[in-house]
Amino acid sequence: MNLIMRSSAVLLCLGFGLVHAAGAAQPGWYFVGSAGEASASVSQGEMDENLVSIFASGGLDVVDSTSTLDDSDTGFGLAGGYQVNDHFALEFSYVDLGSVDYQATSTLTDGTNTGVAETRLESSANGPIVSALGILPIGERFSVFGRVGFSLLNAEGSARITLDGDSQRISQSSQKSDPVFGIGAEFSMTRHFTLRLAWDRYLDVGTADVSGDIDADLITLGIRMGVGWFR
């Protein structure tokens, strides 16, 4: 066998090895790190209404108001999971959904006097998630999955109001236990490393007195690592 034939045989063997190594994820433990964009399903009009309610609780009426809303932020997640078989996995994860930032300049009246108030409302949520994944392999390297589970998030809301140079700040914190669902896809790059793209919807992640009842979407790109990589 000449040198060219020997080289071809080696490359062919390596090729088969790589195809096998990059096959579908194997049953067992794994870790996932991901990051992307989180966005809140809240409108500027809804936040304006929340602001009116906050002032009304203090006996003030809003005469006029201008506002801005930043409803998206960077979100990330860290997860550990166990793949039972080709079609089912369990995951325990921690997610940070970033924050929603609302600012407004309002003219207020108590029926006699008027004044201008600068307001900033912020809402954030983070905490653990428990979920189950139903997986559908498509070919050697590609698979899609659906997720359903429960979030145990800590929702934080704060409001800072400055009226005629006098600032006041109120805050609210609440523990949430609500459903989570989502879909995603994975592409196996090697035996132990898989690329994951996912969309997840988190229900009721707001605080009642600051942001109101809002949901959040998290779109992430992540890497899944099988524990065999550490051996």
Side-chain angles (χ1 to χ4, degrees), residues 126 128-130 149-155 174-180 202-206:
N126 58 77
I129 309 296
V130 179
F150 283 94
S151 65
L152 303 170
L153 300 181
N154 179 50
S174 58
Q175 293 291 327
K176 301 284 187 173
S177 178
D178 293 286
V180 176
Y202 297 83
L203 303 181
D204 190 18
V205 299

Side-chain angles (χ1 to χ4, degrees), residues 33-75:
S34 60
E37 182 178 79
S39 59
S41 61
V42 61
S43 69
Q44 191 167 330
E46 290 173 320
M47 295 298 288
D48 290 339
E49 292 177 2
N50 289 337
L51 183 62
V52 170
S53 298
I54 290 174
F55 286 128
S57 65
L60 298 173
D61 294 325
V62 178
V63 177
D64 186 39
S65 184
T66 59
S67 62
T68 61
L69 174 65
D70 183 358
D71 61 358
S72 62
D73 198 1
T74 299

Side-chain angles (χ1 to χ4, degrees), residues 83 85-89 133-137 143-146 186 224:
Q83 182 149 344
N85 53 43
D86 289 345
H87 301 286
F88 184 72
L133 277 61
I135 305 166
L136 178 63
S143 64
V144 295
F145 63 86
E186 291 188 337
R224 166 174 163 161

Side-chain angles (χ1 to χ4, degrees), residues 14-26 138-143 186-195:
L14 287 175
F16 278 120
L18 288 174
V19 169
H20 174 73
Q26 301 297 311
I138 302 175
E140 289 290 330
R141 300 191 181 197
F142 189 72
S143 64
E186 291 188 337
F187 179 79
S188 296
M189 298 180 292
T190 69
R191 182 178 181 84
H192 299 299
F193 288 88
T194 299
L195 189 66

Side-chain angles (χ1 to χ4, degrees), residues 2-14:
N2 60 35
L3 182 60
I4 295 177
M5 293 181 65
R6 289 178 182 273
S7 299
S8 299
V10 170
L11 290 175
L12 184 61
C13 290
L14 287 175

Side-chain angles (χ1 to χ4, degrees), residues 108-165:
L108 308 176
T109 181
D110 60 2
T112 304
N113 302 306
T114 60
V116 176
E118 300 288 339
T119 304
R120 183 173 185 178
L121 306 181
E122 291 182 282
S123 182
S124 62
N126 58 77
I129 309 296
V130 179
S131 60
L133 277 61
I135 305 166
L136 178 63
I138 302 175
E140 289 290 330
R141 300 191 181 197
F142 189 72
S143 64
V144 295
F145 63 86
R147 179 194 307 277
V148 62
F150 283 94
S151 65
L152 303 170
L153 300 181
N154 179 50
E156 299 278 351
S158 65
R160 187 180 73 241
I161 301 173
T162 303
L163 178 60
D164 294 335

